[in-house]
Amino acid sequence: MPVVRGCNLPDDLFYDVPNNLWYRPEGDGTYTAGMTMIATGMAGQLVAFTGKKAGKTIEAGKSCATVESGKWVGPAKLGFTAEIVEVNSALVDDPKLANSDTYGAGWMVRVEPAHQGEADAILTPGAAVAAPYEAKMAADEFAGCA
């Protein structure tokens, strides 16, 4: 598993580095998506999560959810056009799951890409994500995860 500046990036996932999201292919054409440990490290403890409704198509670069912490409120943006298939109601009820179980129970949404090729073009496999994240963390002046 790549570890960049103390942040775990499981190599069985895919990453949208510019948007700090991870994606797990579910085998049925959908992906489960969530914030990376880097995103939760930068945001701090989450206090609210509001996902867009299931059935809604989100254009590339647009928000699939709004996340709020004590120091940040902002969008979680998809890197490719997709339909939201499911929103994690457990995360709505307990936003801290994104911090405590980032790559498990803290997932945000399940999505189905409008065009698989578009998703493939922006997703970086976990085994190849260390160098892009090192560069992004340097550019963002983020020291790393505690």
Side-chain angles (χ1 to χ4, degrees):
M1 169 175 14
V3 178
V4 180
R5 298 185 184 199
C7 302
N8 295 331
L9 298 160
D11 49 14
D12 62 330
L13 301 176
F14 290 86
Y15 297 88
D16 173 357
V17 176
N19 291 311
N20 281 321
L21 294 183
W22 60 263
Y23 291 85
R24 179 178 30 258
E26 296 301 338
D28 61 358
T30 66
Y31 290 88
T32 298
M35 296 172 63
T36 63
M37 183 178 269
I38 294 159
T40 60
M42 291 172 74
Q45 192 75 16
L46 263 60
V47 297
F49 167 79
T50 308
K52 303 284 183 177
K53 301 233 181 290
K56 183 166 180 64
T57 297
I58 307 298
E59 297 296 320
K62 299 297 181 183
S63 173
C64 67
T66 301
V67 291
E68 181 177 348
S69 71
K71 59 183 176 180
W72 184 77
V73 176
K77 296 179 182 179
L78 294 180
F80 53 87
T81 301
E83 178 184 337
I84 295 180
V85 176
E86 184 180 359
V87 176
N88 185 355
S89 59
L91 189 60
V92 173
D93 295 339
D94 184 7
K96 294 179 182 83
L97 284 172
N99 300 94
S100 64
D101 192 4
T102 306
Y103 300 112
W107 63 276
M108 297 187 312
V109 294
R110 218 170 92 229
V111 298
E112 183 172 359
H115 306 287
Q116 186 60 50
E118 183 185 13
D120 293 343
I122 68 108
L123 294 177
T124 303
V129 81
Y133 256 119
E134 179 61 46
K136 179 166 178 37
M137 292 168 78
D140 291 347
E141 298 181 0
F142 179 57
C145 301

